Structure formats: structure tokens, C-alpha cells
Amino acid sequence: MENLKRLDTKQAADYLAEIGAKATPGTLEVWRSQGRGPRFFKIGRMVRYDPRDLWRFAQGRPVETVDSIEARQQAGARVGVVG
């Protein structure tokens, strides 16, 4: 079994700050109460975060804009052209 340390709320907030996604322990607590934020584990009354889940959360999700869709479509059209 993989030996991976899960982080408590303060450690999770510190880790997020280290990777550029600043969130306070209070913010993580609010997000949990709202069903938002990174995935977490409840073990009795303890809350723990897997660092891999925090990293994925910090990466966010891409938001497509009109310009990014158009650029992607044009790049795809150029790939199919044989000159």
C-alpha cells in the first residue's frame, strides 16, 4: 500500500499557498460546509486532505473563451492541411 501522508486543514491551507492557490483554514472549512472546494476525507471527527487532490484543485478548470475556441479550431484546421 502506498504510504501517503494526508494533511489536516492547516497543513492543506499551507500546501495550497505553496503551490499558488492561497486559501486559509477558515476558507477550507466554509467550502466544506458548502460542499465546495477540494475533496477531503472524514475519519470520525478528523478531516484530512490528500495532497494530490489539493494539487488537482489548485490547477482549476479551463474556461473557454470565444478567442481560445477560435484559436483551437484554427490550429486543428492547420494540422489537417498537407502542403
Side-chain angles (χ1 to χ4, degrees):
M1 180 172 268
E2 188 176 333
N3 186 15
L4 180 68
K5 182 179 177 193
R6 290 191 176 149
L7 308 175
D8 65 25
T9 303
K10 170 137 181 26
Q11 292 168 323
D14 291 343
Y15 178 75
L16 286 170
E18 284 177 26
I19 61 175
K22 189 173 181 181
T24 66
T27 298
L28 290 172
E29 291 167 4
V30 169
W31 284 345
R32 283 196 312 265
S33 74
Q34 297 173 342
R36 300 175 55 207
R39 187 172 84 146
F40 63 92
F41 296 85
K42 282 282 281 189
I43 306 158
R45 296 174 71 187
M46 294 186 313
V47 173
R48 294 292 183 263
Y49 293 89
D50 184 320
R52 294 173 298 192
D53 293 327
L54 295 171
W55 186 85
R56 283 186 211 102
F57 176 77
Q59 300 310 301
R61 62 180 188 273
V63 177
E64 293 285 356
T65 66
V66 173
D67 295 330
S68 68
I69 292 170
E70 184 178 296
R72 205 166 26 88
Q73 289 171 342
Q74 289 174 356
R78 283 193 299 266
V79 170
V81 174
V82 177

Coordinates of all heavy atoms in Angstrom, one line a residue:
M1 N 0.8 -1.2 0.0 CA 0.0 0.0 0.0 C 0.9 1.3 0.0 O 1.9 1.3 0.7 CB -0.9 0.0 1.2 CG -1.8 1.1 1.3 SD -3.0 1.0 2.6 CE -4.3 0.2 1.7
E2 N 0.5 2.2 -0.8 CA 1.3 3.5 -0.9 C 1.2 4.3 0.4 O 0.2 4.4 1.0 CB 0.7 4.3 -2.0 CG 1.5 5.5 -2.3 CD 0.9 6.3 -3.5 OE1 0.2 5.6 -4.4 OE2 1.1 7.5 -3.6
N3 N 2.4 4.7 0.9 CA 2.5 5.5 2.1 C 2.4 7.0 1.8 O 3.4 7.6 1.5 CB 3.8 5.1 2.9 CG 3.8 5.8 4.2 OD1 2.8 6.3 4.7 ND2 5.0 5.9 4.8
L4 N 1.2 7.5 1.8 CA 0.9 8.9 1.5 C 0.4 9.6 2.7 O -0.7 9.2 3.3 CB 0.0 9.0 0.3 CG -0.3 10.4 -0.1 CD1 0.9 11.1 -0.7 CD2 -1.4 10.4 -1.2
K5 N 1.0 10.7 3.1 CA 0.5 11.4 4.3 C -0.6 12.3 3.9 O -0.5 13.1 3.0 CB 1.6 12.2 4.9 CG 1.2 13.0 6.1 CD 2.4 13.8 6.7 CE 1.8 14.6 7.9 NZ 2.7 15.6 8.3
R6 N -1.7 12.2 4.6 CA -2.9 13.1 4.4 C -2.7 14.3 5.3 O -2.2 14.2 6.4 CB -4.2 12.4 4.6 CG -4.4 11.4 3.5 CD -5.8 10.9 3.6 NE -6.1 10.0 2.5 CZ -6.9 8.9 2.5 NH1 -7.5 8.7 3.6 NH2 -7.0 8.2 1.5
L7 N -3.2 15.4 4.9 CA -2.9 16.7 5.6 C -4.2 17.1 6.3 O -5.3 17.0 5.9 CB -2.5 17.8 4.6 CG -1.4 17.4 3.6 CD1 -1.2 18.6 2.6 CD2 -0.1 17.2 4.4
D8 N -4.0 17.8 7.5 CA -5.1 18.4 8.2 C -5.4 19.7 7.5 O -4.7 20.1 6.6 CB -4.8 18.5 9.7 CG -3.7 19.4 10.1 OD1 -3.4 20.4 9.3 OD2 -3.1 19.3 11.1
T9 N -6.4 20.4 8.1 CA -6.9 21.6 7.4 C -5.8 22.7 7.3 O -5.6 23.3 6.3 CB -8.1 22.2 8.1 OG1 -9.1 21.1 8.1 CG2 -8.7 23.4 7.4
K10 N -5.0 22.9 8.4 CA -4.0 23.9 8.4 C -2.9 23.5 7.4 O -2.4 24.4 6.6 CB -3.4 24.1 9.8 CG -2.1 25.0 9.8 CD -2.1 26.0 10.8 CE -0.9 26.9 10.8 NZ -0.2 27.1 9.6
Q11 N -2.5 22.3 7.4 CA -1.4 21.8 6.5 C -1.9 21.9 5.1 O -1.1 22.3 4.2 CB -1.1 20.3 6.8 CG -0.4 20.2 8.1 CD -0.3 18.7 8.5 OE1 -1.2 17.9 8.3 NE2 0.8 18.3 9.2
A12 N -3.2 21.6 4.8 CA -3.8 21.8 3.5 C -3.7 23.2 3.0 O -3.4 23.5 1.9 CB -5.2 21.2 3.4
A13 N -4.1 24.1 3.9 CA -4.0 25.6 3.5 C -2.6 26.0 3.2 O -2.3 26.7 2.3 CB -4.6 26.4 4.7
D14 N -1.7 25.5 4.0 CA -0.2 25.9 3.8 C 0.2 25.3 2.5 O 0.9 26.0 1.7 CB 0.6 25.3 4.9 CG 0.4 26.0 6.3 OD1 -0.2 27.1 6.3 OD2 0.8 25.5 7.3
Y15 N -0.2 24.1 2.2 CA 0.2 23.4 0.9 C -0.4 24.2 -0.3 O 0.4 24.5 -1.3 CB -0.2 22.0 0.9 CG 0.1 21.3 -0.4 CD1 1.4 20.9 -0.7 CD2 -0.9 21.0 -1.3 CE1 1.7 20.3 -1.9 CE2 -0.6 20.4 -2.5 CZ 0.7 20.0 -2.8 OH 1.0 19.4 -4.0
L16 N -1.6 24.6 -0.2 CA -2.2 25.3 -1.3 C -1.5 26.7 -1.5 O -1.3 27.1 -2.6 CB -3.7 25.6 -1.0 CG -4.6 24.4 -1.2 CD1 -6.0 24.7 -0.6 CD2 -4.7 23.9 -2.6
A17 N -1.1 27.3 -0.4 CA -0.4 28.6 -0.5 C 1.0 28.3 -1.2 O 1.4 29.1 -2.1 CB -0.2 29.2 0.8
E18 N 1.6 27.2 -0.9 CA 2.9 26.9 -1.5 C 2.8 26.7 -3.0 O 3.7 27.0 -3.7 CB 3.5 25.6 -0.9 CG 4.1 25.7 0.5 CD 4.5 24.4 1.0 OE1 4.9 23.5 0.2 OE2 4.6 24.2 2.2
I19 N 1.7 26.2 -3.5 CA 1.5 25.9 -4.9 C 0.7 27.0 -5.6 O 0.3 26.9 -6.8 CB 0.9 24.5 -5.2 CG1 -0.5 24.4 -4.6 CG2 1.9 23.5 -4.7 CD1 -1.1 23.1 -4.9
G20 N 0.5 28.2 -4.9 CA 0.0 29.3 -5.6 C -1.5 29.4 -5.6 O -2.1 30.2 -6.3
A21 N -2.2 28.7 -4.7 CA -3.7 28.7 -4.6 C -4.1 29.0 -3.2 O -4.6 28.2 -2.5 CB -4.3 27.4 -5.1
K22 N -3.8 30.3 -2.8 CA -3.9 30.6 -1.4 C -5.4 30.4 -0.9 O -6.3 30.9 -1.5 CB -3.5 32.1 -1.2 CG -3.5 32.5 0.2 CD -2.9 33.9 0.3 CE -2.8 34.3 1.8 NZ -2.3 35.7 1.9
A23 N -5.5 29.7 0.2 CA -6.8 29.5 0.9 C -6.5 29.4 2.4 O -5.5 28.7 2.7 CB -7.5 28.3 0.4
T24 N -7.2 30.0 3.2 CA -7.0 29.9 4.7 C -7.7 28.7 5.2 O -8.6 28.2 4.5 CB -7.5 31.2 5.4 OG1 -9.0 31.2 5.2 CG2 -6.9 32.5 4.8
P25 N -7.3 28.2 6.4 CA -8.0 27.1 7.0 C -9.5 27.5 7.1 O -10.4 26.6 6.9 CB -7.4 27.0 8.4 CG -6.0 27.5 8.2 CD -6.1 28.6 7.2
G26 N -9.8 28.7 7.4 CA -11.3 29.1 7.5 C -12.0 29.0 6.2 O -13.2 28.6 6.2
T27 N -11.3 29.3 5.1 CA -11.9 29.2 3.8 C -12.2 27.7 3.5 O -13.3 27.4 3.0 CB -11.0 29.8 2.7 OG1 -10.8 31.2 3.0 CG2 -11.6 29.6 1.3
L28 N -11.2 26.9 3.8 CA -11.5 25.4 3.6 C -12.6 24.9 4.4 O -13.4 24.1 3.9 CB -10.2 24.6 3.9 CG -9.0 24.9 3.0 CD1 -7.8 24.2 3.5 CD2 -9.3 24.3 1.6
E29 N -12.8 25.4 5.6 CA -13.9 25.0 6.5 C -15.2 25.4 5.9 O -16.2 24.7 5.9 CB -13.7 25.5 7.9 CG -12.5 24.9 8.6 CD -12.1 25.6 9.9 OE1 -12.8 26.6 10.3 OE2 -11.2 25.2 10.5
V30 N -15.3 26.7 5.4 CA -16.5 27.2 4.8 C -16.8 26.4 3.6 O -18.0 26.0 3.4 CB -16.4 28.7 4.5 CG1 -17.5 29.2 3.6 CG2 -16.3 29.5 5.8
W31 N -15.8 26.2 2.7 CA -16.1 25.4 1.5 C -16.6 24.0 1.8 O -17.5 23.5 1.2 CB -14.8 25.2 0.7 CG -14.4 26.5 -0.1 CD1 -15.2 27.6 -0.3 CD2 -13.1 26.8 -0.7 NE1 -14.5 28.5 -1.1 CE2 -13.2 28.0 -1.3 CE3 -11.9 26.0 -0.7 CZ2 -12.2 28.6 -2.0 CZ3 -10.9 26.6 -1.4 CH2 -11.0 27.9 -2.0
R32 N -16.0 23.3 2.9 CA -16.5 22.0 3.2 C -18.0 22.1 3.6 O -18.8 21.2 3.2 CB -15.7 21.4 4.4 CG -14.4 20.9 4.0 CD -13.8 20.0 5.1 NE -13.8 20.5 6.5 CZ -12.9 21.2 7.0 NH1 -11.7 21.4 6.4 NH2 -13.0 21.6 8.3
S33 N -18.4 23.1 4.4 CA -19.8 23.2 4.9 C -20.7 23.5 3.7 O -21.9 23.2 3.8 CB -19.9 24.3 5.9 OG -19.8 25.6 5.3
Q34 N -20.2 24.0 2.6 CA -21.0 24.3 1.4 C -20.9 23.2 0.3 O -21.5 23.4 -0.7 CB -20.6 25.6 0.8 CG -20.8 26.8 1.7 CD -20.2 28.1 1.2 OE1 -19.3 28.1 0.3 NE2 -20.6 29.2 1.7
G35 N -20.1 22.2 0.6 CA -19.9 21.1 -0.4 C -19.1 21.6 -1.5 O -19.2 21.1 -2.7
R36 N -18.2 22.5 -1.3 CA -17.3 23.1 -2.3 C -15.9 22.8 -2.0 O -15.6 22.1 -1.0 CB -17.5 24.6 -2.4 CG -18.9 25.0 -2.8 CD -19.1 26.5 -2.7 NE -18.2 27.1 -3.6 CZ -17.7 28.4 -3.4 NH1 -18.1 29.1 -2.4 NH2 -16.9 28.9 -4.3
G37 N -14.9 23.3 -2.8 CA -13.5 23.1 -2.6 C -13.0 21.8 -2.9 O -13.6 21.0 -3.6
P38 N -11.7 21.5 -2.5 CA -11.1 20.3 -2.8 C -11.7 19.1 -2.0 O -12.3 19.3 -1.0 CB -9.6 20.5 -2.4 CG -9.7 21.5 -1.3 CD -10.9 22.4 -1.7
R39 N -11.6 17.9 -2.6 CA -12.1 16.7 -2.0 C -11.4 16.5 -0.7 O -10.2 16.8 -0.5 CB -11.8 15.5 -2.9 CG -12.4 14.2 -2.5 CD -12.2 13.2 -3.5 NE -10.9 12.5 -3.4 CZ -10.7 11.3 -3.7 NH1 -11.6 10.5 -4.1 NH2 -9.5 10.8 -3.5
F40 N -12.1 15.9 0.3 CA -11.5 15.7 1.6 C -12.0 14.4 2.2 O -13.0 13.8 1.7 CB -11.8 16.8 2.6 CG -13.2 17.1 2.9 CD1 -13.8 16.5 4.0 CD2 -14.0 17.9 2.1 CE1 -15.2 16.7 4.3 CE2 -15.3 18.1 2.3 CZ -15.9 17.5 3.4
F41 N -11.4 13.9 3.2 CA -11.8 12.6 3.9 C -12.2 12.9 5.3 O -11.5 13.7 6.0 CB -10.6 11.6 3.9 CG -10.2 11.2 2.5 CD1 -9.3 12.0 1.8 CD2 -10.7 10.0 2.0 CE1 -8.9 11.6 0.6 CE2 -10.3 9.6 0.7 CZ -9.4 10.4 0.0
K42 N -13.3 12.3 5.8 CA -13.7 12.4 7.2 C -13.4 11.1 7.8 O -13.8 10.1 7.4 CB -15.2 12.7 7.3 CG -15.6 14.1 7.0 CD -15.4 15.0 8.1 CE -16.5 14.9 9.2 NZ -16.4 15.9 10.2
I43 N -12.6 11.2 8.9 CA -12.3 10.0 9.7 C -12.7 10.3 11.1 O -12.1 11.0 11.8 CB -10.8 9.7 9.6 CG1 -10.3 9.6 8.2 CG2 -10.5 8.4 10.4 CD1 -8.9 9.8 7.9
G44 N -13.9 9.8 11.4 CA -14.5 10.3 12.7 C -14.8 11.8 12.6 O -15.4 12.3 11.7
R45 N -14.2 12.5 13.5 CA -14.3 14.0 13.5 C -13.1 14.7 12.8 O -13.1 15.9 12.6 CB -14.4 14.5 15.0 CG -15.6 14.0 15.7 CD -15.6 14.4 17.1 NE -15.8 15.8 17.2 CZ -15.8 16.5 18.4 NH1 -15.5 15.9 19.5 NH2 -15.9 17.8 18.4
M46 N -12.1 13.9 12.4 CA -11.0 14.4 11.7 C -11.2 14.6 10.3 O -11.9 13.8 9.6 CB -9.8 13.5 11.9 CG -9.2 13.3 13.3 SD -7.7 12.4 13.3 CE -8.1 11.0 12.3
V47 N -10.7 15.7 9.7 CA -10.8 16.0 8.3 C -9.4 15.9 7.8 O -8.4 16.5 8.4 CB -11.4 17.4 8.1 CG1 -11.3 17.8 6.6 CG2 -12.8 17.5 8.6
R48 N -9.2 15.2 6.7 CA -7.9 15.1 6.0 C -8.0 15.3 4.5 O -9.0 14.9 3.9 CB -7.3 13.7 6.3 CG -6.9 13.5 7.8 CD -5.8 14.4 8.2 NE -5.4 14.1 9.6 CZ -5.9 14.8 10.6 NH1 -6.7 15.8 10.5 NH2 -5.4 14.6 11.9
Y49 N -6.9 15.8 4.0 CA -6.8 16.1 2.5 C -5.7 15.3 1.9 O -4.6 15.3 2.5 CB -6.6 17.6 2.3 CG -7.7 18.5 2.7 CD1 -7.8 19.0 3.9 CD2 -8.7 18.8 1.7 CE1 -8.9 19.9 4.3 CE2 -9.7 19.7 2.1 CZ -9.8 20.2 3.3 OH -10.9 21.0 3.7
D50 N -5.9 14.8 0.8 CA -4.8 14.1 0.0 C -4.1 15.2 -0.8 O -4.8 15.9 -1.5 CB -5.5 13.1 -0.9 CG -4.4 12.2 -1.7 OD1 -3.4 12.8 -2.1 OD2 -4.7 11.0 -1.9
P51 N -2.8 15.3 -0.7 CA -2.1 16.4 -1.4 C -2.3 16.3 -2.9 O -2.4 17.4 -3.6 CB -0.6 16.1 -1.1 CG -0.6 15.4 0.2 CD -1.9 14.6 0.2
R52 N -2.6 15.1 -3.5 CA -2.8 15.0 -4.9 C -4.2 15.7 -5.3 O -4.3 16.4 -6.3 CB -2.9 13.6 -5.4 CG -1.5 12.9 -5.2 CD -1.6 11.4 -5.5 NE -2.5 10.8 -4.5 CZ -2.6 9.5 -4.3 NH1 -1.9 8.7 -5.0 NH2 -3.4 9.0 -3.3
D53 N -5.2 15.6 -4.4 CA -6.4 16.2 -4.6 C -6.3 17.8 -4.5 O -6.9 18.5 -5.3 CB -7.5 15.8 -3.6 CG -7.9 14.3 -3.8 OD1 -7.9 13.9 -5.0 OD2 -8.2 13.7 -2.8
L54 N -5.5 18.2 -3.6 CA -5.2 19.6 -3.5 C -4.5 20.2 -4.7 O -4.9 21.3 -5.2 CB -4.4 19.9 -2.2 CG -5.0 19.6 -0.9 CD1 -4.0 19.7 0.2 CD2 -6.2 20.5 -0.6
W55 N -3.6 19.4 -5.2 CA -2.9 19.9 -6.4 C -3.9 20.0 -7.6 O -3.9 21.0 -8.3 CB -1.7 18.9 -6.8 CG -0.9 19.4 -7.9 CD1 0.1 20.3 -7.8 CD2 -1.0 19.1 -9.3 NE1 0.7 20.5 -9.1 CE2 -0.1 19.8 -10.0 CE3 -1.9 18.3 -10.0 CZ2 0.1 19.7 -11.4 CZ3 -1.8 18.1 -11.3 CH2 -0.8 18.9 -12.0
R56 N -4.7 18.9 -7.8 CA -5.7 19.0 -8.9 C -6.6 20.2 -8.7 O -6.9 20.8 -9.7 CB -6.5 17.7 -8.9 CG -5.7 16.5 -9.5 CD -6.7 15.3 -9.6 NE -5.9 14.1 -9.5 CZ -5.8 13.3 -8.4 NH1 -6.5 13.6 -7.4 NH2 -5.0 12.3 -8.4
F57 N -7.1 20.4 -7.5 CA -8.0 21.5 -7.2 C -7.3 22.8 -7.6 O -7.9 23.7 -8.2 CB -8.4 21.5 -5.8 CG -9.3 22.7 -5.4 CD1 -10.6 22.7 -5.7 CD2 -8.7 23.8 -4.7 CE1 -11.4 23.8 -5.4 CE2 -9.5 24.9 -4.4 CZ -10.8 24.9 -4.7
A58 N -6.0 23.0 -7.2 CA -5.3 24.2 -7.5 C -5.1 24.5 -9.0 O -4.9 25.6 -9.4 CB -3.9 24.2 -6.8
Q59 N -5.1 23.4 -9.8 CA -5.0 23.6 -11.2 C -6.2 24.2 -11.8 O -6.2 24.7 -12.9 CB -4.7 22.2 -11.9 CG -3.4 21.5 -11.4 CD -2.2 22.5 -11.4 OE1 -1.9 23.0 -12.5 NE2 -1.6 22.7 -10.3
G60 N -7.3 24.2 -11.1 CA -8.6 24.7 -11.6 C -9.1 24.0 -12.8 O -8.7 22.9 -13.1
R61 N -10.0 24.6 -13.5 CA -10.5 24.0 -14.7 C -10.4 25.1 -15.8 O -10.7 26.3 -15.5 CB -11.9 23.5 -14.5 CG -12.9 24.5 -14.1 CD -14.3 23.9 -14.0 NE -15.3 24.9 -13.8 CZ -15.7 25.5 -12.6 NH1 -15.1 25.1 -11.5 NH2 -16.6 26.4 -12.6
P62 N -10.2 24.7 -17.0 CA -10.0 25.7 -18.1 C -11.4 26.3 -18.4 O -12.4 25.6 -18.3 CB -9.5 24.9 -19.3 CG -9.8 23.5 -19.0 CD -9.9 23.3 -17.5
V63 N -11.4 27.6 -18.7 CA -12.6 28.3 -19.1 C -12.3 28.7 -20.5 O -11.4 29.5 -20.8 CB -12.8 29.5 -18.2 CG1 -14.0 30.3 -18.7 CG2 -13.0 29.1 -16.7
E64 N -13.2 28.2 -21.4 CA -13.0 28.5 -22.8 C -13.6 29.9 -23.1 O -14.7 30.2 -22.6 CB -13.8 27.5 -23.7 CG -13.1 26.1 -23.7 CD -11.8 26.0 -24.5 OE1 -11.4 27.0 -25.1 OE2 -11.2 25.0 -24.4
T65 N -12.9 30.7 -23.9 CA -13.5 32.0 -24.3 C -13.7 31.9 -25.8 O -13.2 31.0 -26.5 CB -12.5 33.1 -24.0 OG1 -11.3 32.9 -24.8 CG2 -12.1 33.2 -22.5
V66 N -14.3 32.9 -26.4 CA -14.5 32.9 -27.8 C -13.2 32.8 -28.6 O -13.0 32.1 -29.5 CB -15.3 34.2 -28.2 CG1 -15.4 34.3 -29.8 CG2 -16.7 34.1 -27.6
D67 N -12.2 33.6 -28.1 CA -10.9 33.6 -28.7 C -10.2 32.3 -28.6 O -9.5 31.9 -29.5 CB -10.0 34.8 -28.1 CG -10.6 36.1 -28.4 OD1 -11.3 36.3 -29.5 OD2 -10.4 37.0 -27.6
S68 N -10.2 31.7 -27.4 CA -9.5 30.4 -27.3 C -10.1 29.3 -28.1 O -9.4 28.5 -28.6 CB -9.4 30.0 -25.8 OG -10.7 29.6 -25.3
I69 N -11.4 29.3 -28.2 CA -12.1 28.3 -29.1 C -11.7 28.5 -30.5 O -11.4 27.5 -31.2 CB -13.6 28.4 -28.9 CG1 -14.0 27.9 -27.5 CG2 -14.4 27.5 -29.9 CD1 -15.5 28.2 -27.1
E70 N -11.8 29.7 -30.9 CA -11.4 30.0 -32.3 C -9.9 29.7 -32.6 O -9.7 29.0 -33.6 CB -11.6 31.5 -32.6 CG -11.4 31.9 -34.0 CD -11.6 33.4 -34.2 OE1 -12.8 33.8 -34.0 OE2 -10.7 34.2 -34.5
A71 N -9.0 30.0 -31.7 CA -7.6 29.6 -31.9 C -7.4 28.1 -32.0 O -6.7 27.6 -32.8 CB -6.8 30.3 -30.8
R72 N -8.1 27.4 -31.1 CA -8.0 25.9 -31.1 C -8.6 25.4 -32.4 O -8.0 24.5 -33.0 CB -8.8 25.4 -29.9 CG -8.3 24.1 -29.5 CD -8.8 23.6 -28.1 NE -10.1 24.2 -27.6 CZ -11.2 23.6 -27.9 NH1 -11.3 22.6 -28.6 NH2 -12.3 24.2 -27.4
Q73 N -9.7 25.9 -32.9 CA -10.3 25.4 -34.2 C -9.3 25.7 -35.3 O -9.1 24.9 -36.2 CB -11.6 26.1 -34.4 CG -12.7 25.6 -33.4 CD -14.0 26.3 -33.5 OE1 -14.0 27.5 -34.0 NE2 -15.0 25.7 -33.0
Q74 N -8.7 26.9 -35.4 CA -7.8 27.2 -36.4 C -6.6 26.3 -36.4 O -6.1 25.9 -37.4 CB -7.4 28.7 -36.4 CG -8.5 29.6 -36.7 CD -8.2 31.1 -36.5 OE1 -7.1 31.4 -36.0 NE2 -9.1 32.0 -36.9
A75 N -6.1 26.1 -35.2 CA -4.9 25.2 -35.1 C -5.2 23.8 -35.5 O -4.4 23.1 -36.2 CB -4.4 25.2 -33.6
G76 N -6.4 23.3 -35.2 CA -6.8 22.0 -35.7 C -7.0 21.9 -37.2 O -6.6 20.9 -37.8
A77 N -7.5 23.0 -37.8 CA -7.6 23.0 -39.3 C -6.2 23.0 -39.9 O -6.1 22.4 -41.0 CB -8.4 24.3 -39.7
R78 N -5.3 23.7 -39.3 CA -3.9 23.7 -39.9 C -3.2 22.4 -39.8 O -2.5 22.0 -40.7 CB -3.0 24.8 -39.2 CG -3.4 26.2 -39.6 CD -2.3 27.1 -39.2 NE -2.2 27.2 -37.7 CZ -2.8 28.0 -36.9 NH1 -3.6 28.9 -37.4 NH2 -2.6 28.0 -35.6
V79 N -3.5 21.6 -38.8 CA -2.9 20.3 -38.6 C -3.3 19.4 -39.8 O -2.5 18.6 -40.3 CB -3.3 19.7 -37.3 CG1 -2.9 18.2 -37.2 CG2 -2.7 20.5 -36.1
G80 N -4.6 19.5 -40.2 CA -5.1 18.6 -41.3 C -4.7 19.0 -42.7 O -4.9 18.2 -43.6
V81 N -4.0 20.1 -42.8 CA -3.6 20.6 -44.2 C -2.3 20.0 -44.5 O -1.3 20.1 -43.8 CB -3.6 22.2 -44.2 CG1 -3.0 22.6 -45.5 CG2 -4.9 22.7 -43.9
V82 N -2.2 19.4 -45.7 CA -1.0 18.9 -46.2 C -0.6 19.8 -47.4 O -1.3 19.9 -48.3 CB -1.1 17.4 -46.7 CG1 0.2 16.9 -47.3 CG2 -1.6 16.5 -45.5
G83 N 0.7 20.4 -47.3 CA 1.0 21.3 -48.3 C 2.0 20.8 -49.2 O 2.6 20.8 -50.1

